[in-house]
Amino acid sequence: MKIKVLGVGDAYSKENINSSVLVESSDYKILIDCGPTVPFSLWKSIEDWADIDAIYLTHTHPDHVLGLSMLINRMDTLNRKKSLKILSHKDNHKVLKDLIDFGFWPKKQTKNSFVELIEAQDEGSLDLFTYKMVKTVHSVPNRGIYLSDGINSFFMTGDGVLKGDNTKMLSNTTCALLECQNLDIPAQKGHSNFEISKEISLNNKNTLFYLYHIQDDARKEIKRKCLEVPNLSVLEPSQLILL
């Protein structure tokens, strides 16, 4: 499994692309989240970006979905025929349908267009991947995604805090990306902080943890504090993780 980092920034970062990664195994590619700055990162850093097979969207805040229209529009301009599966919880579909339609504007999206909006289940499959949706505590419904290719596994929160039983799968996860907005104590409502992330990492010592979606002004200090925890680090722009 290969994880290519497209962006690590929070919603309003001046320094980094909105948080997003491309997960690949056996040439099947899944993009996770697509904020407004993500398509430009794709076009610059992924040679075969137009061959993405699926997109998973954790929730419908603008910094996680507004790039979808631009990405679809360019694929349509290139006359894409290959199916593009867009996967998200049914709560998000009303917003996503509008963004997808805008990607085809001024044309109308036809029933046989390359885009297929799919209702994500609690558990399911995408080609050779199996997936699970995992709820976090956020200001709108957010579901992180756990992916396994049968050999390695990967988890990404989207936004929000993992609590209770929803942390259990981390003990069997190869690599996990945790949203970590800042160092605030208590944590900003609907977001995680460094102390929460540190505790999760210490409780799951066999998993590699990376922090992302960090405020610009907190990034340097969080990176320093990560040195205290052997399996915890800050996710870097354009980082490539090979599992």
Side-chain angles (χ1 to χ4, degrees), residues 98-150:
D98 289 341
L99 290 173
I100 291 167
D101 285 344
F102 190 49
F104 288 97
W105 188 87
K107 300 183 295 182
K108 287 188 177 294
Q109 185 194 176
T110 62
K111 289 184 177 179
N112 62 348
S113 77
F114 63 87
V115 175
E116 183 182 1
L117 180 58
I118 299 172
E119 182 181 316
Q121 306 301 313
D122 289 342
E123 299 184 13
S125 61
L126 282 168
D127 197 70
L128 57 83
F129 285 100
T130 57
Y131 73 83
K132 295 178 184 178
M133 289 195 301
V134 183
K135 288 184 180 180
T136 72
V137 179
H138 191 43
S139 56
V140 299
N142 177 91
R143 291 164 178 85
I145 186 167
Y146 170 91
L147 291 168
S148 173
D149 63 2

Side-chain angles (χ1 to χ4, degrees), residues 33-47:
D33 285 342
C34 190
T37 56
V38 170
F40 306 104
S41 180
L42 264 177
W43 301 336
K44 285 174 62 177
S45 61
I46 307 294
E47 186 175 349

Side-chain angles (χ1 to χ4, degrees), residues 15-159:
E15 300 172 1
N16 292 298
I17 298 290
N18 298 131
S19 296
S20 176
V21 301
L22 186 68
V23 183
E24 181 178 353
S25 186
S26 297
D27 294 327
Y28 193 88
K29 303 177 185 67
I30 303 174
L31 177 68
I32 303 178
D33 285 342
C34 190
T37 56
V38 170
F40 306 104
S41 180
L42 264 177
W43 301 336
K44 285 174 62 177
S45 61
I46 307 294
E47 186 175 349
D48 52 353
W49 67 269
D51 289 330
I52 290 170
D53 297 281
I55 301 173
Y56 179 80
L57 300 163
T58 57
H59 65 293
T60 51
H61 270 151
D63 60 309
H64 292 259
V65 298
L66 271 189
L68 188 62
S69 298
M70 179 67 82
L71 187 57
I72 288 171
N73 182 261
R74 189 166 185 198
M75 287 176 171
D76 186 45
T77 301
L78 295 173
N79 296 311
R80 178 177 172 130
K81 304 300 181 187
K82 176 183 174 181
S83 173
L84 175 67
K85 293 179 170 62
I86 298 178
L87 190 72
S88 195
H89 190 271
K90 63 182 179 181
D91 291 348
N92 303 324
H93 280 212
K94 184 179 185 302
V95 171
L96 296 179
K97 284 176 181 175
D98 289 341
L99 290 173
I100 291 167
D101 285 344
F102 190 49
F104 288 97
W105 188 87
K107 300 183 295 182
K108 287 188 177 294
Q109 185 194 176
T110 62
K111 289 184 177 179
N112 62 348
S113 77
F114 63 87
V115 175
E116 183 182 1
L117 180 58
I118 299 172
E119 182 181 316
Q121 306 301 313
D122 289 342
E123 299 184 13
S125 61
L126 282 168
D127 197 70
L128 57 83
F129 285 100
T130 57
Y131 73 83
K132 295 178 184 178
M133 289 195 301
V134 183
K135 288 184 180 180
T136 72
V137 179
H138 191 43
S139 56
V140 299
N142 177 91
R143 291 164 178 85
I145 186 167
Y146 170 91
L147 291 168
S148 173
D149 63 2
I151 301 172
N152 291 295
S153 55
F154 168 80
F155 175 72
M156 185 171 181
T157 52
D159 277 357

